[in-house]
Amino acid sequence: MDFKIRKAVPQDMPRVLELITELAVFEEEPDAVEITVSDLQTDGFGKHPAFNCFVADVDGQVEGIALFYGRYSTWKGKVLHLEDLIVSQKMRGSGLGTALLDEVVLYGNQLGVKRICWEVIDWNEPAIKFYEKKGADVKRDWDVVHLNEIGIRNYISKLEDARI
Amino acid sequence: MDFKIRKAVPQDMPRVLELITELAVFEEEPDAVEITVSDLQTDGFGKHPAFNCFVADVDGQVEGIALFYGRYSTWKGKVLHLEDLIVSQKMRGSGLGTALLDEVVLYGNQLGVKRICWEVIDWNEPAIKFYEKKGADVKRDWDVVHLNEIGIRNYISKLEDARI
């Protein structure tokens, strides 16, 4: 199989959104994806992109993506965050995930960051094994916390009530 | 007790680093803090700051911080990440944490983000209770993954070996 890893272009975003949605279905949150192709095209390109993206291009078809951006650690300074590493279901096990992660690590190394971080759902054992094999440390004692849209709205309305 | 929440200025960074270090000691990682005052002053201010910071100023002494920056969710678009919410040990329980979090949520709401996220260590029950009381969802099935500096170095050298 012949593939190349390249930087994403705006024209890739419809397929990128398909892969994002495929992963959300796998993670049992099919309705969580609110983003649109147009959001991805606006936010990821131009003068101050909110993310960078590599794609695995298999004979002109995108079969994997690595989407990442900078974060800031108060211990290590500027770090890189890998938001999504996705390979289409039919192409799992064909080396695309490794090739994409290689590019992200090379990129982070060029930037001189002291950490590349991401998140994993704890029942995705194949992913965890893959990451650990690559030398990453899965911190099972650190949990992710979300205040979602409804949570923000409720929070604000309680603040307003308290200020009346 | 009288306090105000205000935006941090570069002159606050020595005290901010003290609070960051205090939290690292509490989290049993006293040697993990590699950042310097100068890093914080360079990275947090100027034309393209890597983070924003609010401080809780108690009679001219900074006793709490909320340090945050933008992230990108492939489900929700632009989101806000709260990297650190710290109140000095002696001032815990005096309302500074709530006042700081209030400002961050107000800020996120003004930006129109659909999520404010952060991370918590799973044995910090007081923090978890505080967050849940505020309406946040502690996702115990999502773990944080780090490829640290040594991990990056090893990864790169294996890549180089494979390419010889």
Side-chain angles (χ1 to χ4, degrees):
Chain A
M1 190 195 57
D2 217 30
F3 69 87
K4 64 175 177 191
I5 307 298
R6 59 170 174 80
K7 284 202 75 168
V9 293
Q11 293 74 17
D12 293 318
M13 292 303 113
R15 177 63 181 150
V16 167
L17 184 56
E18 276 179 20
L19 293 173
I20 288 168
T21 306
E22 193 179 299
L23 181 63
V25 170
F26 174 76
E27 287 170 351
E28 301 172 359
E29 300 229 35
D31 301 323
V33 182
E34 295 181 47
I35 212 163
T36 65
V37 169
S38 160
D39 292 332
L40 290 166
Q41 287 173 333
T42 304
D43 297 338
F45 302 88
K47 222 172 170 180
H48 300 294
F51 63 84
N52 274 305
C53 185
F54 290 128
V55 297
D57 183 325
V58 185
D59 298 327
Q61 169 80 340
V62 168
E63 295 292 354
I65 67 162
L67 190 146
F68 56 99
Y69 47 79
R71 277 179 61 184
Y72 199 80
S73 161
T74 48
W75 292 1
K76 308 297 177 194
K78 289 182 183 179
V79 299
L80 206 62
H81 184 84
L82 178 58
E83 181 71 20
D84 270 338
L85 179 69
I86 310 176
V87 173
S88 69
Q89 218 131 18
K90 66 171 181 179
M91 298 297 279
R92 299 264 169 88
S94 55
L96 300 189
T98 291
L100 285 160
L101 189 58
D102 289 355
E103 286 304 315
V104 173
V105 177
L106 282 164
Y107 184 89
N109 188 55
Q110 271 169 3
L111 288 182
V113 299
K114 289 182 177 166
R115 178 194 292 164
I116 301 171
C117 53
W118 57 99
E119 294 162 5
V120 69
I121 201 159
D122 65 3
W123 49 256
N124 191 353
E125 282 300 331
I128 290 173
K129 268 186 199 155
F130 173 75
Y131 296 146
E132 286 182 336
K133 213 181 100 193
K134 298 293 180 189
D137 181 17
V138 177
K139 295 181 169 289
R140 289 163 199 265
D141 55 344
W142 278 94
D143 295 328
V144 169
V145 187
H146 285 177
L147 185 70
N148 63 22
E149 200 174 5
I150 294 167
I152 294 171
R153 209 179 306 144
N154 290 343
Y155 197 115
I156 297 292
S157 70
K158 274 184 207 163
L159 278 186
E160 284 165 355
D161 288 348
R163 284 172 185 188
I164 286 169
Chain B
M1 189 193 62
D2 217 31
F3 68 86
K4 64 174 176 190
I5 307 298
R6 59 170 174 80
K7 283 203 76 168
V9 293
Q11 294 73 20
D12 293 318
M13 292 302 113
R15 177 64 181 149
V16 168
L17 184 57
E18 276 179 21
L19 292 173
I20 288 167
T21 307
E22 193 179 298
L23 181 63
V25 170
F26 174 76
E27 286 171 350
E28 301 172 0
E29 299 228 36
D31 302 323
V33 182
E34 294 181 49
I35 211 163
T36 65
V37 169
S38 161
D39 291 333
L40 290 166
Q41 288 173 332
T42 305
D43 296 339
F45 302 88
K47 223 172 171 183
H48 300 295
F51 62 83
N52 274 305
C53 186
F54 291 128
V55 297
D57 183 324
V58 184
D59 299 327
Q61 170 80 342
V62 169
E63 296 292 355
I65 66 163
L67 191 147
F68 55 99
Y69 47 79
R71 276 178 63 184
Y72 199 80
S73 161
T74 47
W75 293 0
K76 308 296 178 196
K78 290 181 183 178
V79 300
L80 207 62
H81 184 84
L82 178 59
E83 181 71 19
D84 270 338
L85 178 70
I86 311 178
V87 173
S88 70
Q89 219 130 17
K90 67 171 180 176
M91 297 298 278
R92 299 262 169 90
S94 55
L96 300 189
T98 291
L100 285 161
L101 189 58
D102 288 355
E103 287 304 316
V104 173
V105 177
L106 283 165
Y107 184 90
N109 189 53
Q110 270 169 5
L111 287 181
V113 299
K114 289 183 178 165
R115 178 194 292 164
I116 301 171
C117 53
W118 57 98
E119 293 163 5
V120 68
I121 202 159
D122 64 3
W123 49 257
N124 191 353
E125 283 299 332
I128 289 172
K129 268 187 200 154
F130 174 75
Y131 296 146
E132 286 182 336
K133 213 181 100 194
K134 298 294 181 190
D137 181 17
V138 176
K139 295 182 168 289
R140 289 165 199 264
D141 54 345
W142 277 93
D143 296 327
V144 169
V145 187
H146 284 178
L147 184 70
N148 65 20
E149 199 174 5
I150 294 167
I152 294 171
R153 208 179 306 144
N154 290 343
Y155 197 115
I156 297 290
S157 69
K158 275 184 205 163
L159 278 186
E160 284 166 353
D161 288 348
R163 284 173 184 189
I164 284 169

